[in-house]
């Protein structure tokens, strides 16, 4: 076992996945996975480049031809091979014009399937049906969904069809065993979803008819045959085959020997009492249940025969709990020959109060045939009578819409093998349940299917965009989708786009989600009204949160409560299904629930204003504390609030957890009329976004706030946001736009007397001009230098160490380009000194990197040790781009010092994190990849590893648009030529 866990394991019987040493491996995008599958499933055979292109791309091969294969195969090698594995020992071998996947040390689930499946079929042929059923069940469990799910291309499609057919063969063999063993109920459970997969499969129907007959459902078996006969005649113009006709005739004759063989019919496994009164109270199955197969498998899985099985289902209002359990109950009702009972406990009903346990027990006893005059009145006596009556019975009891555990416990039956399915909006933690299922909203595909069922395919397909909009506005909630569908059914003149328009704002959205006695908002309100006052206030307040997902800190600030108290409120709302917990410590509301909470909050104006401002202050504090200026470095705006962070790292981590929603915080502030907060937060987030390489998000946040600067009370915000936008666009290499914003900032700052912003604008403009970013000739460089110096002097006048440091290392770069290295070194030392004074790791690391760049040029041996320290410092700041650049320089220093293995490792680390940030945020992304690969290639060549060097130069030349970078392109071409193996003469 220990050795087995060290092997590479790959699974294809579902989504393509791989593990090494028990840890999952990232296989990259879908196309790369398709390439892997096309190599992996060839049984170790050689695959030509042409075969691979045909199998993956089909009739639409890439313009780059076979070159693109290396861009997929090489990352796969790095992922699947152990570190340091040579290409000649890789799991993916290659030669001139071919690749081959070596399976020697790979454990493939397909091999397990072949072994287990063949064993099961052999066992069945030997007559051991019980053993065969177990072995085939084990084989079928290897399937984790559709084989090669989501993979594209002709090869994957053909393999998917082959594996699906193998799955069908094994499944039919198992079903045949179950029927021949007399396990008709189990067979029907597995047969239920199969007709949908192939409505013309006569083998499946033959087994289904035999199982129905075995369960004494002869009429259903005959109806199923008639449906198939009609379908074949109408759609294919043929009659059922000979085998199916034979089964049909045997059902008509009630020929047990022909249908059931030697197996005795045993539907009832528990003898009912003599007074048993068979009852089925299950509501009808409407058929409008989409998806939920995983949850259905939980509810319908066999339970213990010697105990009562309890299954609990929870979820928010309108998510479809009742529809799910009714479907599940109908699927398994044949396992419970003594009755199927259904009780609505009305936990959330305005018209009918919750029934007392006494009345429910009396009703249940009467349903099982008890004489009304014999039913006691006392609760204890009723519970005793209920347990006595049910102890010999095998029952299915569905308790819908339960309020809590106390309401359920008295109703549990006593008969071994019985099952109780409970639904409720509350998570019934106090209930001893065997299994639990929490229902979430439907995904976009399932939600679209449900809407299409209700409205009709023709109508939805005519307006695909409006259909997607309706699904989004209903946020996957089945109740909302059914209401929308009903409205469209009863208003045939309405288009879907017209209804989307009516649902454009919060009020219209909830207003349209109401029809007859069904209303999404009313369902939510019933849950809200049953909360204690403290939880009601917490729920309202969360509707004002500026992000969809949040941690405890945000509601604690909004409620002005300690974090522990806020967490208790949040967890209680999770238990009521009004709040979701996608991962530990993080919370979110369903879209429609959040709209309802926000409407409730806005009705309490004073409470809403205070909570909203507290949330925005929290984000402002975090952004300023995490910035290079520090919380005290901003000349205007509010001081730190009581909920401030202990240091820059804590603030930066908290902002990282908000992910892509930080831009939404600025938009939320604008929409709430908090213009000053929107501007302050956008300004303060600039350092965080730029340091994380998230430049397009930074630009989006600034452009969200910028149109409102004239409405802000803080007059500094206009030049400040133009400065920030100029700074951001400079990093995105959009120099003309950057210059325009910086000049606007300079004009506004002088007009308004904002010296801080004037200094920032001067430094930004001077840096671009002096470094030639805006395209000046050599005569203009000194003009840029003078502007830089003016900005630095202005910053020194009001002790802005950060700006002085930025100006100094920009000036150092200019002097270095001019060949004035002593002056450059003095500038870099000044930047370093200022960075130490600021005490902010990111500012210090930028200054150190600039300083060491020149050291690398002047004194490589001294720079190497220092670069290692700086690289570690930058890594801790989270500045991925700067860390990558620093690693590139460290690798060069190691190479120059003769430490070739260390240099190669550093370059590989730089390449590994090169993809973050991506091309959208890094305009130099492709050029930098070529540069890193050329550096690594030169190191491999110097280390006597020509094959690996050639690979790096080849991949560098395969970078899209490689010829746009003449310097790196030339280096790659020359490196490739220098490592080519000369051919032998003759």
């Amino acid at each position: 076992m220990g050795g087995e866990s060290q092997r590479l394991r790959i699974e294809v019987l579902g989504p393509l996945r791989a593990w090494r040493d028990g840890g999952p491996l990232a296989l990259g995008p879908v196309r790369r996975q398709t390439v892997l599958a096309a190599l992996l499933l060839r049984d170790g055979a050689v695959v030509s480049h042409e075969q691979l292109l045909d199998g993956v791309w089909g009739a639409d091969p890439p313009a780059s031809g076979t070159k693109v294969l290396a861009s997929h195969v090489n990352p796969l090698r790095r992922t699947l091979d152990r570190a340091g594995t040579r290409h000649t020992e890789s799991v993916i071998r290659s030669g001139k014009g071919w690749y081959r996947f070596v399976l020697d040390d790979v454990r493939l689930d397909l091999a397990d399937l072949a072994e287990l499946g063949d064993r099961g079929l052999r066992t069945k042929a030997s007559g051991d049906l019980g053993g065969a059923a177990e072995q085939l069940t084990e084989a079928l469990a290897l399937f984790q969904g559709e084989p090669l799910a989501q993979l594209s291309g002709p090869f994957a499609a053909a393999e998917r069809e082959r594996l699906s057919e193998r799955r069908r063969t094994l499944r039919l063999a198992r079903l045949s065993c179950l029927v021949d063993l007399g396990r008709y109920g189990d067979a029907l459970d597995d047969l239920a979803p199969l007709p949908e997969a192939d409505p013309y499969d006569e083998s499946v129907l033959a087994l289904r008819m035999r199982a129905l007959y075995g369960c004494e459902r002869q009429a259903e078996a005959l109806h199923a045959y008639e449906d198939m006969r009609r379908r074949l005649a109408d759609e294919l113009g043929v009659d059922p085959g000979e085998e199916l006709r034979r089964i049909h005739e045997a059902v008509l004759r009630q020929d047990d020997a022909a249908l059931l063989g030697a197996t005795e019919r045993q539907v009832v496994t528990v003898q009912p009492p003599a007074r048993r009164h068979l009852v089925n109270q299950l509501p009808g199955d409407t058929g409008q249940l989409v998806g939920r197969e995983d949850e259905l498998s939980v509810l319908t899985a066999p339970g213990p025969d010697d105990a009562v099985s309890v299954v609990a289902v929870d979820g928010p209002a309108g998510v479809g709990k009742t529809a799910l359990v009714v479907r599940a109950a109908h699927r398994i009702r044949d396992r419970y020959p003594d009755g199927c009972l259904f009780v609505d406990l009305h936990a959330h009903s305005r018209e009918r109060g919750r029934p007392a346990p006494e009345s429910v027990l009396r009703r249940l006893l009467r349903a099982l045939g008890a004489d009304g005059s014999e039913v006691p009145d006392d609760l204890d006596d009723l519970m005793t009578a209920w347990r006595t009556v049910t102890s010999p019975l095998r029952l299915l009891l569905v308790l819908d819409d339960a309020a809590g555990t106390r309401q359920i416990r008295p109703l549990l039956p006593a008969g071994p093998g019985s099952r109780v399915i409970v639904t409720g909006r509350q998570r019934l933690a106090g209930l001893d349940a065997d299994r639990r299922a929490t229902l979430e909203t439907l995904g976009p595909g399932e939600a679209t299917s449900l809407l299409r069922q209700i409205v009709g395919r023709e109508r939805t397909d005519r307006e695909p965009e409006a259909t997607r909009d309706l699904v989004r506005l209903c946020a996957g909630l089945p109740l909302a989708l059914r209401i929308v569908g009903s409205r469209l059914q009863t208003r045939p003149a309405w288009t879907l786009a017209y209804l989307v328009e009516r649902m454009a704002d919060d009020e219209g959205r909830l207003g349209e989600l109401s029809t007859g006695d069904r209303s999404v908002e009313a369902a939510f309100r019933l849950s809200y009204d049953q909360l204690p006052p403290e939880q009601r206030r917490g729920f309202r307040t969360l509707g004002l949160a500026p992000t969809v997902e949040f941690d405890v800190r945000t509601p604690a600030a909004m409620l002005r409560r300690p974090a522990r108290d806020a967490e208790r409120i949040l967890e209680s709302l999770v238990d009521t299904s009004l709040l979701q917990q996608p991962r530990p410590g993080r919370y979110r509301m369903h879209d429609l629930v959040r709209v309802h909470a926000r409407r409730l909050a806005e009705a309490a104006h004073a409470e809403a204003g205070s909570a909203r401002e507290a949330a925005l202050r929290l984000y402002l504090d975090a952004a300023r504390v995490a910035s290079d200026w520090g919380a005290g470095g901003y000349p205007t705006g509010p001081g730190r609030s009581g909920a401030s962070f202990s240091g820059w790292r804590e603030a930066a981590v908290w902002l990282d957890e908000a992910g892509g929603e930080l831009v939404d915080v600025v938009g939320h502030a604008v929409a709430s009329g908090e213009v000053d907060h929107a501007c302050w937060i956008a300004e303060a987030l600039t350092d965080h976004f730029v340091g994380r390489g998230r430049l397009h998000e930074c630009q989006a946040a600034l452009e969200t706030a910028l149109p409102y600067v004239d409405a802000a009370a803080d007059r500094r915000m206009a030049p400040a946001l133009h400065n920030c936008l100029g700074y951001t666009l400079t990093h995105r290499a959009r120099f003309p736009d950057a210059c325009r914003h910086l000049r606007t900032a300079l004009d506004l700052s002088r007009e308004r007397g904002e010296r801080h912003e004037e200094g920032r604008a001067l430094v930004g403009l001077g840096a671009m001009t002096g470094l030639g970013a805006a395209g000046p000739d050599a005569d203009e460089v000194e003009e840029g230098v003078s502007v830089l110096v003016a900005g630095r002097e202005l910053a020194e006048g009001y002790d802005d160490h950060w700006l002085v440091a930025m100006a100094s290392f920009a000036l150092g770069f200019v002097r270095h380009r001019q060949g004035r290295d002593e002056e450059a070194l003095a500038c870099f030392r000044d930047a370093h000194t200022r960075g130490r004074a600021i005490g902010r790791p990111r500012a210090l690391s930028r200054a150190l990197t600039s300083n060491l760049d020149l050291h690398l040029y002047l004194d490589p041996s001294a720079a190497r040790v220092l670069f290692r320290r700086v690289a570690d410092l930058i890594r801790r700041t989270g500045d991925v781009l700067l860390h990558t650049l620093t690693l590139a320089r460290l690798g060069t220093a190691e190479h120059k010092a003769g430490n070739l293995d260390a240099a190669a490792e550093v370059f590989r680390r730089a390449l590994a994190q090169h993809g973050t940030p991506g091309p959208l945020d890094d305009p130099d992304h492709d050029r930098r990849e070529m540069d890193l690969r050329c550096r690594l290639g030169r190191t491999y060549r110097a280390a006597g590893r020509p094959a690996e060097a050639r690979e790096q130069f080849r991949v560098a030349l395969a970078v899209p648009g490689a010829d746009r970078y003449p310097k790196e392109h030339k280096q790659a071409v020359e490196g490739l030529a220098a490592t080519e193996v000369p051919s032998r003469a003759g």
Side-chain angles (χ1 to χ4, degrees):
M1 291 296 290
E4 186 71 19
S5 67
Q6 301 302 310
R7 292 175 60 186
L8 176 65
R9 175 170 175 79
I10 304 179
E11 294 183 353
V12 299
L13 300 175
L16 184 62
R17 296 182 293 186
W19 290 265
R20 166 81 73 183
D21 301 341
L25 303 177
L27 298 177
V30 171
R31 187 78 75 184
R32 186 168 299 158
Q33 295 182 35
T34 309
V35 170
L36 173 59
L39 291 169
L40 178 69
L41 300 181
R42 304 272 189 171
D43 293 327
V46 168
V47 186
S48 71
H49 289 177
E50 289 72 20
Q51 287 177 303
L52 202 51
L53 287 169
D54 290 343
V56 176
W57 281 272
D60 188 24
S64 56
T66 58
K67 290 182 179 179
V68 76
L69 295 176
S71 69
H72 291 297
V73 170
N74 291 325
L76 286 171
R77 283 170 166 160
R78 290 193 295 271
T79 299
L80 299 174
D81 293 337
R82 295 191 182 280
T85 301
R86 295 180 178 272
H87 284 183
T88 55
E89 300 171 351
S90 172
V91 292
I92 304 179
R93 307 284 168 85
S94 60
K96 187 173 182 180
W98 59 266
Y99 290 105
R100 182 170 73 91
F101 197 100
V102 180
L103 293 167
D104 296 348
D105 294 317
V106 179
R107 182 181 171 194
L108 188 62
D109 62 347
L110 203 54
D112 296 341
L113 178 70
E115 179 184 345
L116 292 170
D118 290 348
R119 184 195 306 163
L121 293 175
R122 289 195 302 270
T123 303
K124 180 176 184 292
S126 72
D128 181 4
L129 299 182
E134 291 182 8
Q135 292 165 1
L136 291 168
T137 298
E138 187 178 357
L140 288 165
L142 292 171
F143 286 90
Q144 302 296 313
E146 182 184 49
L148 301 172
Q150 301 180 347
L151 296 196
S152 57
F155 182 83
E159 286 298 299
R160 187 180 297 115
E161 183 176 352
R162 178 180 70 83
L163 294 173
S164 297
E165 181 59 29
R166 176 64 169 171
R167 183 182 195 180
R168 175 184 175 274
T169 299
L170 298 177
R171 182 176 270 170
L172 287 177
R174 177 180 179 274
L175 289 167
S176 175
C177 292
L178 294 178
V179 172
D180 290 340
L181 286 166
R183 294 167 56 182
Y184 310 119
D186 291 342
L188 286 175
D189 287 344
D190 284 357
L191 280 161
L194 290 185
E196 300 173 7
D198 187 351
Y200 309 111
D201 194 327
E202 295 186 26
S203 299
V204 170
L205 181 59
L207 287 168
R208 180 175 177 79
M209 289 177 66
R210 290 179 62 198
L212 287 169
Y213 182 82
C215 289
E216 300 182 338
R217 293 159 62 181
Q218 181 184 9
E220 285 186 56
L222 295 172
H223 283 311
Y225 175 83
E226 184 59 25
D227 288 344
M228 174 66 86
R229 186 196 66 74
R230 189 181 300 111
R231 189 183 308 118
L232 291 171
D234 293 346
E235 299 177 17
L236 303 180
V238 298
D239 293 325
E242 180 180 348
E243 174 64 15
L244 192 58
R245 291 200 305 272
R246 184 184 67 77
I247 296 294
H248 177 237
E249 291 170 2
V251 173
L252 288 172
R253 296 194 310 270
Q254 298 187 21
D255 186 345
D256 288 4
L259 295 168
L260 309 178
T263 304
E264 296 183 6
R265 297 166 70 173
Q266 287 187 332
V267 182
V268 179
T269 58
V270 179
Q271 289 298 321
R275 296 177 58 198
R276 179 174 71 91
H277 175 66
L278 186 61
V279 62
N280 180 3
Q281 296 180 339
L282 297 177
D285 187 348
T286 64
Q288 287 184 347
L289 185 73
V290 174
R292 308 300 194 199
E293 289 304 320
D294 291 342
E295 293 85 353
L296 277 169
S297 65
V298 171
L299 269 64
T300 59
D305 290 329
D306 57 352
V308 176
S309 171
V310 179
V311 181
V313 179
D314 63 79
V319 81
K321 298 182 292 295
T322 302
L324 172 69
V325 299
V326 168
R327 171 68 58 86
H330 277 282
R331 284 194 180 181
I332 62 176
R333 65 183 183 184
D334 293 321
R335 301 181 198 167
Y336 304 96
D338 298 312
C340 301
L341 306 174
F342 184 94
V343 181
D344 189 342
L345 295 175
H346 298 292
H348 301 89
S349 173
R350 291 192 188 278
E351 294 77 20
R352 301 181 61 179
R354 299 175 189 171
E358 292 89 341
S359 65
V360 176
L361 284 169
R362 281 193 287 270
R363 173 182 154 190
L364 289 171
L365 286 166
R366 287 194 296 269
L368 292 180
D371 190 330
S373 61
E374 299 176 357
V375 175
D377 294 324
D378 180 74
L379 177 60
D380 288 340
D381 292 341
L382 281 165
M383 291 168 61
T384 300
W386 172 243
R387 291 166 184 158
T388 301
V389 169
T390 59
S391 60
L393 304 182
R394 189 182 178 101
L395 296 170
L396 173 62
L397 173 62
V398 178
L399 301 174
D400 192 36
D401 195 19
T405 306
R406 290 183 180 180
Q407 196 181 21
I408 300 165
R409 283 192 183 120
L411 311 180
L412 299 178
S418 294
R419 171 161 297 183
V420 181
I421 303 178
V422 184
T423 77
R425 299 183 192 179
Q426 291 272 0
R427 291 188 174 175
L428 304 168
L431 183 67
D432 293 329
D434 300 291
R435 286 185 287 275
R436 297 180 185 272
T438 295
L439 259 62
E440 305 290 351
T441 51
L442 299 174
E446 294 172 335
T448 301
S449 297
L450 178 56
L451 188 62
R452 184 177 287 134
Q453 278 187 18
I454 302 169
V455 178
R457 179 180 292 274
E458 180 180 353
R459 202 167 171 187
T460 55
D461 290 356
R462 193 175 359 179
E463 297 183 79
E465 186 174 349
T467 299
R468 288 191 292 271
D469 288 340
L470 274 181
V471 166
R472 174 181 55 79
L473 289 167
C474 292
L477 189 71
L479 174 61
L481 291 161
R482 290 194 175 95
I483 291 174
V484 162
S486 296
R487 290 181 72 76
L488 291 168
Q489 281 178 338
T490 56
R491 290 164 178 77
W494 282 15
T495 63
L496 275 69
Y498 174 69
L499 183 53
V500 169
E501 195 176 312
R502 293 173 64 95
M503 297 173 66
D505 56 32
D506 285 357
E507 186 171 353
R509 191 174 179 186
L510 288 180
E512 293 298 325
L513 294 177
S514 176
T515 181
D517 61 349
R518 293 193 298 179
S519 165
V520 168
E521 188 163 28
F524 293 158
R525 185 70 193 229
L526 286 170
S527 294
Y528 171 78
D529 286 344
Q530 294 182 16
L531 298 174
E534 183 181 56
Q535 291 181 25
R536 283 204 296 270
R537 186 190 168 205
F539 176 76
R540 291 193 304 270
T541 300
L542 293 177
L544 301 171
T547 58
V548 173
E549 191 175 298
F550 45 85
D551 67 351
V552 173
R553 192 187 290 263
T554 302
M558 297 172 76
L559 292 168
R560 289 177 165 76
R561 300 287 295 271
R564 186 178 296 276
D565 290 351
E567 183 180 31
R568 178 173 48 78
I569 294 171
L570 293 175
E571 290 295 330
S572 68
L573 291 172
V574 170
D575 287 339
T576 62
S577 298
L578 286 170
L579 192 62
Q580 300 167 324
Q581 194 170 35
R583 59 185 189 275
R586 303 292 293 179
Y587 304 87
R588 63 178 295 149
M589 278 182 164
H590 178 271
D591 284 356
L592 292 174
V593 175
R594 188 168 62 256
V595 171
H596 175 58
R598 186 161 57 241
R599 282 161 59 90
L600 291 171
E602 288 169 349
H605 301 292
E607 178 183 286
S610 172
R612 186 181 287 115
E613 183 180 3
L616 295 176
R617 284 292 302 276
L618 180 66
Y619 277 91
L620 178 59
D621 275 357
R624 287 189 166 184
V625 170
S627 73
D628 288 346
W629 282 12
Y634 290 82
T636 60
R640 294 174 66 170
S641 69
S644 291
F645 297 78
S646 61
W648 72 269
R649 189 184 301 279
E650 182 187 4
V653 168
W654 188 77
L655 291 171
D656 284 335
E657 288 174 349
E661 291 196 77
L662 285 177
V663 178
D664 296 333
V665 175
V666 179
H668 176 83
V670 169
S672 304
E674 298 284 350
V675 174
D676 283 276
H677 273 96
C679 296
W680 291 329
I681 293 171
E683 176 195 33
L685 282 173
T686 300
D687 274 346
H688 179 78
F689 278 137
V690 172
R692 294 298 192 265
R694 294 159 59 182
L695 301 178
H696 71 289
E697 292 177 78
C698 188
Q699 183 176 344
L702 291 165
E703 289 178 343
T704 299
L706 190 60
Y708 302 92
V709 289
D710 290 337
D714 188 345
R715 288 171 55 82
R716 186 181 65 84
M717 284 298 98
L721 294 197
H722 279 290
N723 265 328
C724 289
L725 200 48
Y727 178 57
T728 303
L729 291 169
T730 300
H731 279 78
R732 298 197 74 181
R734 298 183 180 180
F735 302 117
D737 289 337
C739 280
R740 178 170 52 83
H741 281 286
L742 290 171
R743 289 191 183 108
T744 301
L746 184 61
D747 293 341
L748 287 171
S749 60
R750 286 173 172 171
E751 175 189 316
R752 301 184 181 193
E754 296 292 346
R755 296 169 63 243
H756 284 80
E757 301 310 320
E758 181 183 356
R760 293 174 76 188
L762 287 170
V763 170
L765 287 168
M768 279 202 295
T769 306
L771 291 169
D777 55 37
D779 293 338
E780 293 180 304
V781 172
E782 285 304 323
E783 180 185 342
V785 169
S786 65
V787 175
L788 262 175
V789 171
R792 185 170 67 173
E793 289 175 351
L794 192 59
E796 285 176 334
Y798 51 80
D799 293 329
D800 188 340
H801 294 291
W802 176 84
L803 190 55
V804 173
M806 298 298 106
S808 291
F809 75 66
L811 188 57
F813 281 126
V814 176
R815 294 308 188 202
H816 177 50
R817 283 191 178 184
Q818 294 175 319
R820 297 158 65 172
D821 290 332
E822 289 302 324
E823 293 178 56
L825 194 56
C827 290
F828 290 150
R829 284 171 179 159
D830 181 63
H832 184 204
T833 301
R834 302 289 181 164
R836 291 176 63 87
I838 297 169
R840 314 294 288 184
R842 194 158 56 225
L844 181 60
S845 61
R846 288 174 183 168
L848 283 170
T849 304
S850 306
N851 205 347
L852 290 176
D853 254 350
L854 195 55
H855 274 296
L856 180 60
Y857 177 73
L858 298 173
D859 186 4
S861 60
R864 183 168 55 88
V865 177
L866 293 173
F867 259 124
R868 285 193 175 276
R869 296 177 186 170
V870 175
D872 185 61
L873 175 66
I874 297 172
R875 180 187 57 79
R876 285 183 276 130
T877 70
D879 193 327
V880 178
L881 180 55
L882 187 59
H883 189 223
T884 302
L885 293 170
T886 306
L887 289 176
R889 286 152 176 77
L890 172 60
T892 299
E894 295 284 10
H895 185 130
K896 289 185 176 183
N899 302 320
L900 298 180
D901 288 343
E905 173 60 26
V906 171
F907 287 137
R908 285 195 295 267
R909 283 168 55 199
L911 278 166
Q913 68 180 29
H914 173 65
T916 306
L920 183 63
D921 282 318
D922 182 5
D924 221 16
H925 180 272
D926 294 336
R927 187 205 63 76
R928 186 170 293 110
E929 180 176 354
M930 293 181 69
D931 174 64
L932 286 169
R933 292 196 180 280
C934 286
R935 291 178 190 238
L936 180 56
R938 288 193 294 270
T939 300
Y940 279 146
R941 188 179 67 196
R945 297 159 68 176
E948 291 162 278
R950 280 195 298 275
E951 184 62 28
Q952 292 303 319
F953 293 128
R954 283 172 181 159
V955 176
L957 290 171
V959 168
D963 53 359
R964 294 200 309 267
Y965 310 105
K967 176 185 173 184
E968 289 74 19
H969 189 274
K970 180 181 179 183
Q971 290 176 352
V973 170
E974 291 176 348
L976 192 60
T979 56
E980 288 293 346
V981 179
S983 58
R984 290 182 297 177

